Amino acid sequence: MATPLVLVNRHGPVAVVTLNRPDKHNAMSLAMKDAITETLAELDADPNVRVIVLTGAGDRSFVAGADIAEFQDRTPVEQLRMYREGTVYDAVDRVAKPLIARIDGYCFGGGLELAMACDVRIASERSLFSQAEINIGIIPGGGGSQRLPRLVGLGMALKLTLTGERIEAQEALRIGLVDEVVPHPHLDRRVEEVANRIASKSAVVARVAKAAVKAAARLPMDQGVRYEQMLFALVFSSEDKEEGVRAFLEKREPRWKDR
Ligand code: COA
């Protein structure tokens, strides 16, 4: 039987999705992109999953980009058809549940674009980052030209995209490309802690909070604030808002119903 390109392990409410092509630094082939898309849709629909962690197999790479070998004979028409059908980056962006990228090793090109489409990025100290497309004569095609400036600002995004240079994890942290950097031996524990902390909140309210914050990258300020106000009002219809407020006033822990 062929080795699965994507592995799923469940730890209570947290599903860990591992991209599994370690001999190719987890480079994303089209088949792997399809498997990721399918897996994420299943986990997003699964009521037992509250948080999803995305990571790469082996101890050398998160993902070293899209599969460069598949670029070789691809025509513009084929590429446009793929975009029409929807990309793996769109699929990550569409996930309503909180998504954490666990990064250990090379995070290059499409791998960086995949990580940027997640909600939280936690990296080991030994990770390396590069918006590397220009080194092989192409540009970012998985949303990188838009997500990178939103995370690190226009100047830094231009520098990274035009030079294709590698940066270390501490530099990625300094510029806001990742949210936390920890020594490699602590990576799993820290990802687990953050995932479980998010999983301990009301799942329905976490999804609404995620939608509100993500709108900041898409809407002008006034529209974003109006959108937040609509979502805030909507949350007042949830049983978990009733429970959360009551639990605080009664000085006890809330018991979420995810409704
Ligand atoms: N697409 C396809 N294959 C890839 C790949 C990618 N993005 N990244 C690595 N591989 C393959 C290599 O071709 C090699 O295959 P082989 O064993 O059949 O020859 C295998 O993975 C191991 O890679 P190798 O280069 O030998 O390992 P390394 O440890 O010397 O270097 C990297 C690792 C990640 C630094 C290097 O592979 C690299 O630069 N990869 C491309 C990164 C990139 O530019 N990504 C963005 C593309 S848009």
Side-chain angles (χ1 to χ4, degrees):
M1 227 172 74
T3 314
L5 293 168
V6 170
L7 307 169
V8 179
N9 285 296
R10 290 158 187 263
H11 306 275
V14 179
V16 179
V17 177
T18 303
L19 312 196
N20 188 34
R21 240 187 134 197
D23 55 325
K24 297 278 184 191
H25 291 279
N26 304 318
M28 287 184 290
S29 58
L30 293 174
M32 185 193 267
K33 286 175 175 173
D34 286 347
I36 300 168
T37 299
E38 216 170 278
T39 303
L40 289 179
E42 278 168 20
L43 295 174
D44 209 23
D46 183 336
N48 296 318
V49 174
R50 301 168 82 85
V51 176
I52 302 168
V53 174
L54 207 56
T55 194
D59 58 0
R60 293 187 302 161
S61 286
F62 173 67
V63 175
D67 190 324
I68 298 171
E70 291 182 351
F71 289 157
Q72 213 166 12
D73 299 316
R74 190 177 299 167
T75 66
V77 171
E78 285 167 348
Q79 183 59 54
L80 286 173
R81 196 194 59 234
M82 285 175 203
Y83 279 145
R84 263 200 315 278
E85 287 167 358
T87 68
V88 68
Y89 314 96
D90 300 333
V92 173
D93 191 59
R94 251 196 325 269
V95 171
K97 293 175 183 173
L99 244 168
I100 300 173
R102 173 199 175 279
I103 302 164
D104 185 27
Y106 297 116
C107 182
F108 287 176
L112 181 55
E113 291 176 302
L114 196 73
M116 289 193 290
C118 294
D119 303 319
V120 178
R121 283 158 290 284
I122 303 179
S124 69
E125 259 171 5
R126 66 184 187 184
S127 299
L128 286 171
F129 300 81
S130 168
Q131 196 71 78
E133 289 83 351
I134 199 149
N135 299 332
I136 61 161
I138 60 170
I139 70 166
S145 69
Q146 303 305 301
R147 288 197 180 89
L148 187 60
R150 281 167 165 82
L151 284 173
V152 305
L154 204 58
M156 187 59 83
L158 280 163
K159 190 183 93 167
L160 293 173
T161 306
L162 293 174
T163 62
E165 73 183 4
R166 296 178 184 184
I167 60 169
E168 296 191 351
Q170 284 301 342
E171 173 67 355
L173 180 65
R174 190 187 70 79
I175 65 177
L177 187 53
V178 298
D179 307 301
E180 271 190 43
V181 171
V182 294
H184 168 253
H186 300 171
L187 182 63
D188 282 326
R189 197 178 67 212
R190 184 58 192 151
V191 169
E192 201 182 307
E193 257 171 30
V194 174
N196 281 323
R197 188 168 175 96
I198 296 173
S200 74
K201 312 299 176 191
S202 158
V204 67
V205 178
R207 283 201 295 275
V208 177
K210 166 169 167 167
V213 175
K214 281 189 80 167
R218 281 151 210 209
L219 296 176
M221 182 74 172
D222 58 337
Q223 289 178 27
V225 171
R226 290 300 155 261
Y227 183 57
E228 179 194 86
Q229 291 171 348
M230 291 301 123
L231 293 179
F232 186 72
L234 187 68
V235 163
F236 275 62
S237 69
S238 76
E239 290 181 33
D240 282 348
K241 171 256 168 186
E242 294 302 322
E243 166 63 8
V245 171
R246 196 177 315 116
F248 175 80
L249 295 173
E250 291 171 2
K251 301 187 190 305
R252 61 173 175 80
E253 288 299 312
R255 289 181 292 271
W256 306 124
K257 294 183 184 151
D258 296 329
R259 287 201 293 261

